[in-house]
């Protein structure tokens, strides 16, 4: 299989490598042709060429073959511009086309055209958002977007504070940090030895980041207590209160409950109003991980799924998930105005001088645990400008409409068995049962055999490149598929395509 670098690229061959190209400054005479050819390659081959329905989602290649196809090792000397363009083409060729309409594998997908341009502009400007001095536009832009998001959550006039941070996992970590500081401000200077044994609570189906961040922050993963869920994946509020009382009886000090609005697998929305009542009863911080489901707040038709979110002390909301902003675009929103700053600031005098000639309240970077930080706001702001809130609402409504259509379609087809009859979000979970297993549900080895089906179908779809859909077990359930919809360019014909592909790839499987 020839590498893309073997193909003829636009422009002429470099006759000689310019040894002065190590200098970190674009010069029109040296770089314009290369940059224009590189952008043309990105636009033609990646943005349009690899996101059409007729292209492959992935060109599966074994690790050793990729190592042969692409020279991955750094070298002592430079390569030519033509060779660099060839490397670009090869990297794109062997990467997964996450912008492909049939990439429905994770809780992100698509290449939004406005988000993409916003991301390119971000990289061209190369800002770091910590002071107004070096990032004036982005400092103001962040505060405006975060205020609007807090308003959408339901906090009056967008009160509170917020940050853009590198992923929902880190946002959930900020919730733990802020809650702990809110109740025990001495933690900042004296550390974990100055506070009681703290415990927090979250759903057994919540994202693993809460448990991981509890370990990372010195609380300990054993002190992240998992609460039972019902058959729909929602947190059991009675069990939550039982676990809280049990922890108190054991001498621990509860301080935080993390509820989820849109769990990773089931897409379940925890009942926030009764959870909030429990938190108020025991004086606990309520954090809502709405990384996945938060986008539903943009829709009048679907925001009821997050009823009670305005009662939360803090919220994680990732626009790169349901709203389809480019990776990464994650926010942490907090109802309490000064906790982020007071809990994390260090007042470094070489960066956050108080005697600057402008209002230093605009130097917002000290409330972050990071120093250097990308302007992830720009791509989301640019999308919001391009689409308006009404465009985001239409986007969300389309996703839910497609999910409902797919659900009803496979409900009527032979070979498809639903894990949940009425899922809440755009996650649809099902088993595809090949012909060899139909009518054998009562046989003792049925579950063991069914468990082998999804991996075999997944292997076929990846090697053909026709689509990408993930699978997983859950509790005692055999491996099942979870298809997630967040690309509003899909339509009902695509829903039928997915079902047809599962049947084509899986019908004749023998296990």
């Amino acid at each position: 299989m020839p590498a893309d670098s073997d193909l003829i690229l636009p422009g002429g061959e470099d006759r000689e490598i310019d040894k002065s190209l190590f200098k970190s400054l674009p010069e029109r005479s040296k770089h314009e042709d290369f940059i224009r050819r590189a952008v043309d390659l990105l636009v033609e081959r990646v943005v349009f060429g690899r996101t059409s329905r007729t292209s492959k989602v992935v060109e599966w290649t074994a690790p050793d073959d990729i190592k042969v196809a692409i020279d991955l090792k750094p070298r002592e000397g430079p390569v030519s511009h033509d060779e660099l363009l060839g490397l670009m083409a090869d990297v794109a060729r062997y990467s997964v086309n996450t912008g492909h309409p049939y990439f429905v594998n994770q809780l992100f997908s698509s290449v939004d055209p406005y988000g993409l341009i916003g991301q390119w502009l971000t990289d061209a400007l190369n800002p770091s958002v910590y002071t107004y001095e070096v990032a004036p536009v982005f400092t103001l832009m962040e505060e405006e977007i975060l205020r609007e998001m807090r308003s959408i959550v339901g906090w009056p006039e967008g009160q509170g504070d917020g940050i853009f941070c590198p992923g929902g996992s880190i946002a959930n970590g900020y919730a733990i940090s802020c809650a702990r500081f809110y109740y025990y401000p001495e933690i900042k200077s004296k550390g974990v030895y100055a506070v009681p044994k703290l415990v927090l609570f979250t759903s057994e189906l919540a994202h693993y980041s809460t448990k991981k961040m509890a370990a990372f922050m010195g609380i300990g993963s054993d002190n992240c207590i998992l609460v039972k869920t019902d058959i729909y994946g929602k947190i059991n509020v009675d069990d939550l209160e039982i676990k809280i009382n049990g922890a108190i009886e054991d001498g621990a000090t509860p301080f935080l409950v993390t509820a989820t609005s849109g769990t990773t697998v089931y897409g379940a929305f925890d009942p926030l109003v009764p959870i909030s009542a429990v938190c108020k009863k025991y004086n606990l911080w309520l954090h809502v991980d709405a990384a996945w489901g938060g986008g539903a707040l943009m829709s009048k038709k679907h925001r009821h799924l997050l009823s009670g979110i305005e009662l939360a002390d803090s919220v994680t909301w990732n626009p790169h998930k349901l709203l389809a902003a480019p990776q990464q675009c994650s926010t942490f929103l907090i109802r309490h105005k000064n906790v982020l700053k007071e809990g994390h600031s260090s007042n470094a005098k070489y960066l956050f001088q108080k005697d600057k000639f402008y209002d230093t309240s605009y130097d917002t970077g000290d409330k972050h645990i990071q120093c250097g930080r990308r302007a992830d706001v720009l791509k989301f702001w640019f999308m919001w400008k391009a689409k308006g809130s009404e465009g985001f609402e239409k986007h969300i409504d389309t996703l839910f409409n497609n999910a409902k259509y797919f659900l009803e379609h496979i409900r009527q087809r032979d070979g498809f068995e639903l894990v949940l009859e009425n899922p809440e979000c755009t996650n649809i979970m099902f088993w595809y049962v090949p012909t060899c297993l139909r009518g054998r549900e009562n046989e003792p080895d049925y579950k063991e055999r069914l468990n082998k089906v999804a991996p075999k179908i997944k292997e076929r779809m990846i090697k053909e490149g026709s689509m990408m859909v993930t699978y997983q077990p859950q509790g005692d359930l055999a491996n099942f598929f979870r298809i997630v919809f967040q690309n509003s360019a899909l339509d009902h014909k695509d829903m039928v395509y997915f079902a047809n592909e599962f049947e084509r790839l899986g019908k004749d499987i023998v296990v």
Side-chain angles (χ1 to χ4, degrees):
M1 173 187 320
D4 274 11
S5 55
D6 295 330
L7 305 176
I8 297 176
L9 293 163
E13 289 294 327
D14 290 329
R15 297 176 182 272
E16 184 177 334
I17 298 175
D18 186 340
K19 297 295 186 179
S20 70
L21 294 179
F22 70 90
K23 298 177 181 178
S24 298
L25 183 72
E27 296 182 37
R28 190 176 294 275
S29 62
K30 296 179 179 179
H31 301 106
E32 181 177 9
D33 177 67
F34 167 69
I35 291 173
R36 291 187 182 280
R37 291 164 66 193
V39 170
D40 184 64
L41 187 153
L42 287 172
V43 171
E44 293 301 324
R45 296 198 185 187
V46 180
V47 176
F48 293 113
R50 296 171 66 82
T51 58
S52 69
R53 285 169 173 79
T54 56
S55 64
K56 287 186 176 183
V57 178
V58 59
E59 187 169 312
W60 168 254
T61 309
D64 287 343
D65 293 332
I66 288 181
K67 293 175 184 178
V68 172
I70 306 175
D71 182 8
L72 298 173
K73 293 183 179 180
R75 300 296 179 184
E76 184 68 24
V79 299
S80 70
H81 283 171
D82 277 349
E83 288 174 292
L84 289 173
L85 292 168
L87 289 170
M88 285 179 62
D90 288 339
V91 168
R93 175 178 180 177
Y94 296 109
S95 295
V96 175
N97 296 333
T98 59
H100 196 289
Y102 300 150
F103 176 84
V104 284
N105 197 69
Q106 254 79 42
L107 302 185
F108 75 94
S109 68
S110 76
V111 175
D112 185 89
Y114 305 107
L116 177 64
I117 294 301
Q119 184 127 293
W120 285 356
L121 179 56
T122 302
D123 289 336
L125 293 171
N126 194 31
S128 186
V129 190
Y130 32 61
T131 65
Y132 182 84
E133 179 181 2
V134 297
V137 176
F138 301 122
T139 298
L140 300 177
M141 187 183 291
E142 279 193 343
E143 294 306 306
E144 197 63 43
I145 291 295
L146 291 167
R147 184 183 300 110
E148 184 64 21
M149 294 178 76
R150 294 193 299 269
S151 179
I152 291 169
V153 165
W155 297 333
E157 299 180 357
Q159 67 181 22
D161 202 354
I163 55 176
F164 279 79
C165 50
S169 294
I170 301 300
N172 289 337
Y174 271 109
I176 297 173
S177 178
C178 288
R180 186 170 63 174
F181 177 82
Y182 181 80
Y183 292 114
Y184 300 99
E186 63 270 27
I187 188 75
K188 181 178 178 181
S189 59
K190 297 180 179 178
V192 295
Y193 306 105
V195 300
K197 177 186 175 181
L198 300 179
V199 294
L200 60 148
F201 305 85
T202 195
S203 156
E204 62 184 353
L205 298 183
H207 193 265
Y208 65 82
S209 59
T210 297
K211 181 181 280 287
K212 180 176 282 191
M213 294 306 297
F216 181 76
M217 297 174 65
I219 293 171
S221 58
D222 288 350
N223 294 317
C224 178
I225 299 173
L226 302 183
V227 181
K228 293 178 182 177
T229 55
D230 62 20
I231 60 172
Y232 304 106
K234 297 171 177 287
I235 205 168
N236 183 316
V237 181
D238 291 336
D239 188 59
L240 171 62
E241 189 159 14
I242 290 170
K243 294 278 175 52
I244 291 171
N245 282 311
I248 294 171
E249 290 172 5
D250 289 341
T253 302
F255 76 107
L256 166 69
V257 174
T258 292
T260 307
S261 289
T263 58
T264 304
V265 178
Y266 279 14
F269 291 79
D270 287 337
L272 301 180
V273 174
I275 293 173
S276 173
V278 171
C279 289
K280 284 182 170 61
K281 180 178 178 179
Y282 293 93
N283 190 29
L284 308 179
W285 184 285
L286 173 58
H287 174 65
V288 177
D289 178 2
W292 172 229
L297 289 167
M298 303 297 288
S299 166
K300 291 185 286 290
K301 185 176 181 180
H302 299 289
R303 68 170 288 129
H304 68 89
L305 292 166
L306 298 96
S307 177
I309 194 171
E310 71 281 359
L311 303 172
D313 293 284
S314 58
V315 173
T316 293
W317 179 359
N318 288 6
H320 75 239
K321 293 186 183 290
L322 210 54
L323 292 178
Q327 294 267 29
Q328 283 184 331
C329 192
S330 303
T331 64
F332 173 72
L333 312 173
I334 182 171
R335 186 159 50 88
H336 308 276
K337 177 65 178 173
N338 295 315
V339 172
L340 268 169
K341 182 178 180 181
E342 292 174 357
H344 302 119
S345 63
S346 63
N347 299 307
K349 293 182 180 179
Y350 58 82
L351 190 58
F352 301 108
Q353 305 95 333
K354 299 304 181 184
D355 56 355
K356 293 179 180 178
F357 65 91
Y358 60 86
D359 181 357
T360 56
S361 67
Y362 289 107
D363 289 352
T364 56
D366 210 15
K367 63 187 176 184
H368 297 258
I369 58 172
Q370 297 169 261
C371 180
R373 192 169 55 83
R374 283 176 55 85
D376 287 331
V377 64
L378 177 54
K379 54 201 170 192
F380 185 44
W381 174 85
F382 203 64
M383 288 175 65
W384 210 329
K385 283 292 187 181
K387 302 166 188 281
S389 297
E390 64 180 30
F392 279 139
E393 181 171 25
K394 290 176 182 177
H395 166 83
I396 293 295
D397 290 347
T398 299
L399 303 183
F400 277 86
N401 178 269
N402 280 335
K404 181 179 179 181
Y405 185 91
F406 181 76
L407 177 73
E408 296 305 321
H409 180 72
I410 64 172
R411 199 194 300 273
Q412 307 301 322
R413 288 183 66 149
D414 291 339
F416 291 87
E417 299 290 339
L418 293 170
V419 175
L420 286 182
E421 288 292 328
N422 295 294
E424 293 184 286
C425 201
T426 63
N427 314 40
I428 308 298
M429 295 138 293
F430 60 92
W431 292 279
Y432 182 78
V433 183
T435 304
C436 71
L437 288 181
R438 295 178 195 175
R440 300 179 180 273
E441 292 81 3
N442 296 323
E443 295 184 3
D445 63 347
Y446 176 78
K447 181 178 174 182
E448 179 183 354
R449 295 171 67 189
L450 181 62
N451 199 56
K452 298 176 181 178
V453 173
K456 288 182 176 291
I457 294 177
K458 182 69 179 272
E459 180 181 1
R460 288 184 176 185
M461 77 168 71
I462 294 298
K463 289 184 174 179
E464 290 192 23
S466 60
M467 60 181 181
M468 189 177 285
V469 185
T470 193
Y471 72 86
Q472 62 281 299
Q474 182 73 61
D476 294 331
L477 299 176
N479 281 322
F480 57 86
F481 283 102
R482 177 201 61 178
I483 192 168
V484 286
F485 298 113
Q486 63 192 126
N487 186 339
S488 53
L490 297 173
D491 56 28
H492 291 177
K493 291 180 181 178
D494 296 311
M495 303 302 107
V496 176
Y497 169 86
F498 288 127
N500 288 343
E501 271 300 284
F502 277 106
E503 186 173 89
R504 183 182 71 83
L505 294 168
K507 189 173 183 178
D508 65 347
I509 280 178
V510 177
V511 289

